[in-house]
Amino acid sequence: MRPRPLFIENPEHERYVSLVPEGDIEEILRNQRTKTITLLRSVSEETARKAYAPGKWTLKEVVGHMTDSERVMSYRMLAIARNESAPLPAMEQDQYVSEANFNKLSWEQLLTGLDAVRSNTLSLISTIDDAAWVRNGTVMNSTVSVGTIAYGIAGHELHHMKVISDKYL
């Protein structure tokens, strides 16, 4: 079992890590994958094209954002686990969503992408040894550990699934 980070270096990370329940992070991520994909497959293409308010992302854009964010966070885990010394850049989420044109993609295509990214994240985590799990790197001028990023992935999804449940469904 991968240890939960004892110290969260950045309040932005703490925001997501604090949402993750106790337990094995790999099991939590696997269970999230099943629960999230099952719930989202019940959503129609029409519903997925809607935003809950003017100026807010559509559900397609939220799922696209979740996928892109996990891709970026997984890359950060990889880089830090492999002892990358260069600081890793920020991700401007609104720019990524705007440039991706998620609304032009099918709902099924977006869900397949989300599922594939989680599969890849789980595969990556299985290659990270104990020493690398606690290794720190720099992301957005802040120190962060591999473990914190992994818990952040789970927490980020929990955050967005709550928004989806509360405002979209």
Side-chain angles (χ1 to χ4, degrees), residues 111-123:
L111 296 182
T112 298
L114 182 64
D115 190 48
V117 167
R118 179 53 56 91
S119 177
N120 289 331
T121 297
L122 287 164
S123 177

Side-chain angles (χ1 to χ4, degrees), residues 88-159:
L88 301 169
M91 172 188 161
E92 177 45 58
Q93 66 181 15
D94 291 320
Q95 176 187 335
Y96 275 50
V97 169
S98 173
E99 294 297 323
N101 295 311
F102 292 124
N103 290 317
K104 292 183 178 180
L105 302 177
S106 74
W107 186 231
E108 181 59 33
Q109 190 175 7
L110 288 164
L111 296 182
T112 298
L114 182 64
D115 190 48
V117 167
R118 179 53 56 91
S119 177
N120 289 331
T121 297
L122 287 164
S123 177
L124 171 61
I125 288 172
S126 75
T127 72
I128 298 173
D129 66 20
D130 293 343
W133 186 255
V134 297
R135 185 170 292 139
N136 289 323
T138 303
V139 176
M140 302 179 301
N141 300 315
S142 179
T143 301
V144 64
S145 71
V146 171
T148 297
I149 296 170
Y151 275 82
I153 288 171
H156 184 257
E157 183 166 319
L158 287 168
H159 163 75

Side-chain angles (χ1 to χ4, degrees), residues 35-52 58-60 62-63 107 160-169:
K35 184 177 177 181
T36 295
I37 294 298
T38 300
L39 175 67
L40 293 176
R41 285 207 191 283
S42 71
V43 173
S44 70
E45 180 80 29
E46 180 182 349
T47 298
R49 285 193 301 261
K50 294 180 181 174
Y52 69 85
T58 65
L59 185 51
K60 282 184 170 189
V62 173
V63 169
W107 186 231
H160 282 292
M161 289 308 295
K162 179 165 180 18
V163 172
I164 288 169
S165 294
D166 292 350
K167 299 189 182 255
Y168 289 88
L169 304 181

